[in-house]
Amino acid sequence: MDASDWHWQLVHRKTVAEDFSAHFTLREDERLFFERTEGRVILPVAVTPYYLKLADPLDPADPIRKQFLPSSKEFEVKEYESQDPLAEKKFEAVPSLIRRYTNRAVLRVTNLCAVYCRHCYRRGFAATGRKTIDRNGLEEALAFLSANTEIGELLVSGGDPLVLDDGVILEILDAIRSLKRHLLIRICTRVPVVLPQRITTVLCRELKKRGPLWFVTQFNHSREITGQSRQAVSRLISSGFPVLNQSVLLMGVNDSVEELTLLFNGLACLPVKPYYLFQGDLAAGTSHFRLPLSKGLSLYKRLSSSLSGIALPFYAVDLPGGGGKVMLPHVTVERAGNQWYAIEDYDGTRHRYPAE
Ligand SMILES: *Cc1c(COP(=O)(O)O)cnc(C)c1O
Ligand code: SF4
């Protein structure tokens, strides 16, 4: 096994302070995170050697580093933040299956990821207790899908489904296909960005037999587009799978017109369609990543005038507490006092979102 093997990348992930201090001069807040985790509920720390190398070790404010190296700022939890900001638990129709919309549902097949993104909105789920869906869990989810025929699309998500071995992934897909030959399956994964070695020709060949499949990945910065991530995406595309991208708007990572322009135009050339740009969810300990809504809206306005329709994603927010996704430019956003915005959803219900 060597660095081009995805198992090698997973086995050699960096997880503890010493691993990181060998590569970076840790900032005070990064050092404090490792010193003060005891007794706290934290999102685990892990980064593949491949993704770590994309960070410039001499830049303490590097945008890639910020996505995998934790900060003690994660301990600052606002009163409106939550471990489950989208109330996915509430929308769990059966364990592992989240249904918030009539026609589509999310199957969380594992809570493991290749890299734990410090801005993760599933931090109450990722890498906690239960791990990968078992046969009973899968059967229960499939029984629900069979009984609810309005569900025409299934998002296979996690954690990250592509950290599972080929055999497990194919078994899950085969079980779905044995019931639903034509169901549209959307695989949501950050693996092409953080572990591109995982997209092997063998996996692609097998997936191809189990379509229709779409992929949704999460590139957040133009420097994540590398020879290797480009190859991973090309393999998916040449196997016949459309690839979309969801980025998260992250302070200190991609919060400028210049960077987002590079990112979205770069993706369009892969070619990957930028699908969503998400305003940060109210996940516990992520306020240092969240851009004020007013700044996000003005950034997006400038992007809208300079990018083509192919390169411009929808700017959306997942309304706190399970209100669902809304496209921010299409809904009314008003100030509601000094500290809040009121966002009106498509049904006219108003939702609070912090102004800071
Ligand atoms: C985001 C999401 C979807 C997919 O929504 P699209 O707008 O189709 O991308 C489906 N179910 C849940 C619970 C979601 O959070
Ligand atoms: S890959 Fe997704 S679920 Fe996993 S840590 Fe990143 S954002 Fe969270």
Side-chain angles (χ1 to χ4, degrees):
M1 275 210 301
D2 62 35
S4 66
D5 181 289
W6 68 275
H7 284 110
W8 184 95
Q9 289 285 337
L10 283 184
V11 169
H12 291 89
R13 282 184 297 178
K14 314 294 176 193
T15 58
V16 294
E18 294 69 46
D19 290 340
F20 295 107
S21 54
H23 293 269
F24 306 98
T25 306
L26 294 189
R27 298 190 316 255
E28 174 80 353
D29 57 308
E30 291 167 336
R31 209 173 41 72
L32 281 178
F33 176 91
F34 291 102
E35 281 173 18
R36 306 224 173 126
T37 49
E38 208 154 329
R40 295 178 196 265
V41 182
I42 55 153
L43 179 75
V45 177
V47 61
T48 54
Y50 163 81
Y51 192 64
L52 176 131
K53 278 215 191 102
L54 301 187
D56 173 359
L58 300 178
D59 178 5
D62 183 90
I64 309 291
R65 168 174 174 161
K66 206 164 175 203
Q67 294 181 71
F68 66 76
L69 235 176
S71 157
S72 57
K73 290 180 190 148
E74 289 182 38
F75 302 150
E76 296 165 20
V77 178
K78 307 280 182 183
E79 47 87 17
Y80 50 77
E81 289 180 339
S82 146
Q83 293 286 336
D84 178 19
L86 311 185
E88 295 192 310
K89 198 74 210 159
K90 189 170 95 188
F91 289 91
E92 218 168 41
V94 294
S96 302
L97 195 86
I98 305 161
R99 186 200 200 180
R100 189 164 41 207
Y101 304 109
T102 311
N103 64 339
R104 54 213 196 278
V106 179
L107 182 67
R108 295 199 284 199
V109 296
T110 181
N111 63 357
L112 303 174
C113 302
V115 168
Y116 292 97
C117 315
R118 302 328 298 173
H119 54 272
C120 178
Y121 70 100
R122 281 197 176 139
R123 47 212 301 122
F125 176 76
T128 52
R130 90 193 133 161
K131 292 201 165 74
T132 296
I133 196 166
D134 58 15
R135 185 149 284 283
N136 283 343
L138 188 57
E139 276 171 13
E140 218 180 325
L142 293 177
F144 185 86
L145 283 180
S146 301
N148 292 273
T149 51
E150 330 77 89
I151 299 176
E153 180 174 348
L154 184 68
L155 284 72
V156 175
S157 182
D160 198 317
L162 294 192
V163 298
L164 301 176
D165 281 324
D166 288 10
V168 180
I169 297 172
L170 299 175
E171 198 181 329
I172 293 171
L173 293 177
D174 286 341
I176 299 170
R177 283 286 171 245
S178 68
L179 276 174
K180 298 261 182 184
R181 184 64 200 95
H182 301 292
L183 186 75
L184 186 62
I185 297 180
R186 188 194 308 187
I187 298 190
C188 307
T189 174
R190 208 174 179 211
V191 149
V193 183
V194 295
L195 181 65
Q197 301 79 5
R198 174 68 187 101
I199 310 297
T200 61
T201 46
V202 176
L203 177 66
C204 289
R205 192 181 64 219
E206 290 306 314
L207 291 177
K208 200 172 171 176
K209 301 173 189 161
R210 293 160 173 90
L213 279 177
W214 285 53
F215 278 81
V216 179
T217 184
Q218 188 198 135
F219 284 86
N220 291 327
H221 194 277
S222 57
R223 273 180 25 221
E224 294 169 343
I225 303 174
T226 65
Q228 289 189 80
S229 61
R230 203 180 282 274
Q231 185 186 47
V233 165
S234 311
R235 281 185 180 166
L236 295 173
I237 294 172
S238 39
S239 307
F241 310 127
V243 183
L244 306 179
N245 186 72
Q246 298 183 166
S247 301
V248 187
L249 184 55
L250 297 167
M251 204 190 286
V253 174
N254 59 15
D255 56 333
S256 70
V257 173
E258 296 70 32
E259 175 45 39
L260 289 174
T261 299
L262 278 175
L263 173 64
F264 297 144
N265 282 333
L267 286 169
C269 288
L270 287 180
V272 167
K273 165 69 189 148
Y275 176 41
Y276 278 126
L277 170 65
F278 282 118
Q279 172 66 22
D281 292 319
L282 305 182
T286 62
S287 60
H288 56 298
F289 280 116
R290 214 155 35 238
L291 217 65
L293 206 45
S294 54
K295 289 215 173 124
L297 283 164
S298 78
L299 250 176
Y300 188 71
K301 202 178 246 181
R302 282 182 286 153
L303 285 171
S304 307
S305 72
S306 64
L307 289 180
S308 81
I310 286 180
L312 184 73
F314 299 118
Y315 179 37
V317 67
D318 241 304
L319 292 166
K325 285 185 194 63
V326 292
M327 317 276 184
L328 281 163
H330 297 178
V331 295
T332 307
V333 178
E334 283 172 353
R335 276 311 271 260
N338 280 340
Q339 296 179 15
W340 300 99
Y341 276 103
I343 305 176
E344 200 173 291
D345 69 18
Y346 300 128
D347 299 327
T349 309
R350 286 157 69 91
H351 301 261
R352 251 179 19 152
Y353 189 93
E356 59 188 350

